[in-house]
Each structure stands twice: as C-alpha cells, then as structure tokens.
C-alpha cells in the first residue's frame, strides 16, 4: 500500500520527456473524430 501512496516518488529526465512526446502521433487508433461520416454514425446512436 505504501508504494501506491508514493505516486510522486519518481522523476523524468529530458530524454524520457522527449521519448514520451513522440508517442502522440496525432491520429486515433479507433476512428477519426473529425470525419463527417463518423460523426453521423455516432449521432444516429441516440
């Protein structure tokens, strides 16, 4: 339980932050939120 409480007991280096920043590709793996057909599909789920 002590390990769960100490959630801020770590640090990230500049290299870590750079590696994390490369993870966001700007594209969804599931669907395109900006695609009109996808929006129509979700609007029809009411």
């Amino acid at each position: 339980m002590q390990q769960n409480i100490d959630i801020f007991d770590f640090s990230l280096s500049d290299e870590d932050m750079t590696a994390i920043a490369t993870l966001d590709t700007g594209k969804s793996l599931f669907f395109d939120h900006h695609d009109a057909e996808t929006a129509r599909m979700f609007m029809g789920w009411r």
Side-chain angles (χ1 to χ4, degrees), residues 12-24:
L12 297 174
S13 68
D14 290 338
E15 293 83 17
D16 293 334
M17 294 299 289
T18 300
I20 291 170
T22 65
L23 296 174
D24 184 7

Side-chain angles (χ1 to χ4, degrees), residues 1-20:
M1 289 175 71
Q2 184 64 34
Q3 290 174 337
N4 292 338
I5 293 171
D6 292 335
I7 61 172
F8 297 110
D9 188 24
F10 70 95
S11 62
L12 297 174
S13 68
D14 290 338
E15 293 83 17
D16 293 334
M17 294 299 289
T18 300
I20 291 170

Side-chain angles (χ1 to χ4, degrees), residues 21-35:
T22 65
L23 296 174
D24 184 7
T25 62
K27 296 183 180 182
S28 173
L29 297 176
F30 304 102
F31 52 85
D32 182 2
H33 297 78
H34 302 285
D35 179 52

